[in-house]
Amino acid sequence: MRHAILALNAGSSSIKFGLYDLESSAGLQLVSRGALDLGDAPRLSAKAADGTVQCDRPLAGEARNAGIDALLDWIESELGGRKLVSAGHRIVHGGREFVEPVRLTPDVIEALDRLTPLAPLHQPRSLAPIRTLAALRPDLPQVGCFDTAFHQTIDPVVSRFALPRRYDAEGIRRYGFHGLSYEYIAGRLKEMSPALAAKRTIVAHLGNGASLCAMRDGRSVDTTMGFSALDGLVMGTRCGAIDPGVLLYFVLEAGVSAEALQHMLYEESGLLGISGISGDMRTLEASDDPHAREAVDLFAFRAAREAAALANTLGGLECLVFTAGIGERSAPVRKAICERLHWLGVAIDEPSNASHAGIINRPDSKVEIRVVATDEESVIARHTRVQGNAR
């Protein structure tokens, strides 16, 4: 029987997963990648590394538990009889304590649950499949990998808020997120060329959740998300950076409750709030509505403005990398951002950009511009192999 690692990446209505074979002569090798859709019509879908469809079927019963159980049965009964020896999870917030991958014991899970106020919507989604797996397979080792960990290298001048110092000691600071994606991109740049990895680089992780990371030598030196996943760029349904006086106005003058304000900022703002149509960039790009155009323009404007700020932290800009759903697939968004950064020496090649080439800068560009697909699940699997003592 072949042994395998399962990497889980939980979102609001789906769980992405990757299954990795431990017996391959090439090392940790992808066997299957798919998703558990946990909405109104639960579904399990998966494809092999070569794109061949392996599974696409509806699920019955209570969505999340039924989905995890069905995934385990499919892996162990139908997918070559593979036996899971460990499972790894993306966890959005590790706080100040969890700065590297860790085995998930009951005490650790409880400690992570206490961080929920720092990520009120994301942390419960991260922990739910961990608890489900623990109930279904109590002897299966599980490992947590943290989105905040990659940014532990940023300096205090970057991480600190201008608040009374006692609050920093309580954990009120800038953490940064999307760290597993940035860790993967840093590794890919090093594989391409050590000289490339050493450059002053901004990575744009642009998706429904979006942020930028300034890095050099594979280390994070600054990022746009801060204390929460609300900060920084305009996102699908999240507002991004906002004047705190606006929030005080909502609470003190408009009488908006804390719960209603949280829902507005996380679920009703961003591209959806501006356009009044959708938080999906593909829908907005296909729309003739002027509000859709305004939402796309604001998304690009804010990304370019934040990139300029990160270039200041780096002391210049030599490489710009686009990744994640919008970054990898939206040529118009990449073009709009790069045009606003022309003064920094960013010169995009429109034919290369339109064809989604790996390198999309003109020869005369002072900044190398790349499109690199991210792979958070492979990072989770690699850490899980080490921390879970899978072999």
Side-chain angles (χ1 to χ4, degrees):
M1 180 175 286
R2 301 182 74 87
H3 290 176
I5 285 175
L6 178 64
L8 295 167
N9 186 344
S12 57
S13 61
S14 68
I15 301 175
K16 295 189 293 184
F17 67 85
L19 183 71
Y20 295 82
D21 193 337
L22 285 170
E23 310 302 326
S24 169
S25 59
L28 202 59
Q29 184 170 341
L30 179 67
V31 173
S32 180
R33 174 171 282 128
L36 290 169
D37 292 318
L38 304 174
D40 295 334
R43 195 169 196 86
L44 170 63
S45 59
K47 293 182 179 180
D50 63 3
T52 303
V53 175
Q54 296 173 307
C55 179
D56 187 11
R57 67 189 190 205
L59 301 174
E62 196 279 322
R64 190 173 295 270
N65 287 338
I68 296 289
D69 205 9
L71 174 60
L72 295 175
D73 288 344
W74 177 67
I75 291 170
E76 296 178 347
S77 301
E78 301 179 35
L79 198 59
R82 284 179 169 82
K83 176 180 173 59
L84 285 184
V85 292
S86 58
H89 302 263
R90 170 180 172 246
I91 300 176
V92 168
H93 217 304
R96 305 188 81 165
E97 179 181 356
F98 298 101
V99 297
E100 59 185 17
V102 64
R103 283 284 294 270
L104 293 169
T105 65
D107 287 345
V108 169
I109 295 170
E110 183 179 342
L112 292 171
D113 199 15
R114 290 196 293 270
L115 296 175
T116 295
L118 304 185
L121 298 188
H122 293 80
Q123 199 76 348
R125 295 168 184 168
S126 297
L127 298 179
I130 296 169
R131 291 180 168 127
T132 299
L133 262 179
L136 294 173
R137 299 288 192 278
D139 295 328
L140 181 70
Q142 297 191 72
V143 174
C145 305
F146 303 98
D147 256 347
T148 48
F150 185 73
H151 303 291
Q152 293 298 315
T153 53
I154 64 177
D155 289 336
V157 72
V158 177
S159 67
R160 189 181 299 277
F161 289 121
L163 294 171
R165 294 187 68 91
R166 65 182 180 275
Y167 292 110
D168 184 80
E170 294 175 10
I172 309 300
R173 49 155 288 186
R174 299 182 69 245
Y175 289 95
F177 298 89
H178 293 135
L180 296 174
S181 176
Y182 292 130
E183 182 180 350
Y184 176 81
I185 298 299
R188 284 290 294 127
L189 295 179
K190 187 174 181 180
E191 289 174 0
M192 294 172 186
S193 164
L196 176 62
K199 288 184 175 182
R200 291 171 289 191
T201 298
I202 292 174
V203 180
H205 177 106
L206 306 179
N208 185 55
S211 68
L212 307 178
C213 178
M215 63 174 69
R216 195 167 190 178
D217 296 320
R219 299 170 68 252
S220 173
V221 297
D222 200 353
T223 187
T224 55
M225 279 186 174
F227 174 74
S228 75
L230 281 174
D231 200 10
L233 308 185
V234 172
M235 292 169 251
T237 61
R238 283 173 262 168
C239 60
I242 188 170
D243 181 345
V246 174
L247 308 184
L248 292 174
Y249 172 83
F250 281 138
V251 173
L252 299 177
E253 300 297 330
V256 178
S257 70
E259 292 78 11
L261 182 58
Q262 176 176 282
H263 182 75
M264 180 202 304
L265 299 177
Y266 275 100
E267 305 289 353
E268 299 178 334
S269 300
L271 295 174
L272 173 62
I274 301 162
S275 69
I277 299 170
S278 174
D280 191 313
M281 182 63 74
R282 295 166 295 185
T283 300
L284 299 181
E285 288 180 337
S287 174
D288 294 328
D289 191 301
H291 292 163
R293 182 70 261 162
E294 184 180 8
V296 176
D297 288 345
L298 182 56
F299 182 92
F301 167 76
R302 289 279 289 274
R305 187 176 72 172
E306 294 293 334
L310 295 189
N312 178 69
T313 302
L314 287 166
L317 180 62
E318 297 170 296
C319 183
L320 175 62
V321 178
F322 290 98
T323 193
I326 297 171
E328 294 169 26
R329 302 183 187 98
S330 177
V333 167
R334 293 194 299 258
K335 179 175 181 289
I337 293 171
C338 289
E339 286 178 343
R340 287 188 175 276
L341 295 174
H342 182 73
W343 63 277
L344 273 173
V346 176
I348 193 168
D349 180 73
E350 293 198 31
S352 298
N353 182 49
S355 65
H356 306 290
I359 300 175
I360 59 173
N361 57 277
R362 295 203 314 253
D364 62 335
S365 179
K366 295 180 181 178
V367 176
E368 187 169 348
I369 312 171
R370 288 181 175 262
V371 179
V372 181
T374 193
D375 187 354
E376 294 163 305
E377 289 76 38
S378 70
V379 176
I380 295 168
R382 187 176 69 248
H383 288 313
T384 300
R385 181 179 188 177
V386 174
Q387 294 295 327
N389 296 315
R391 291 199 70 117

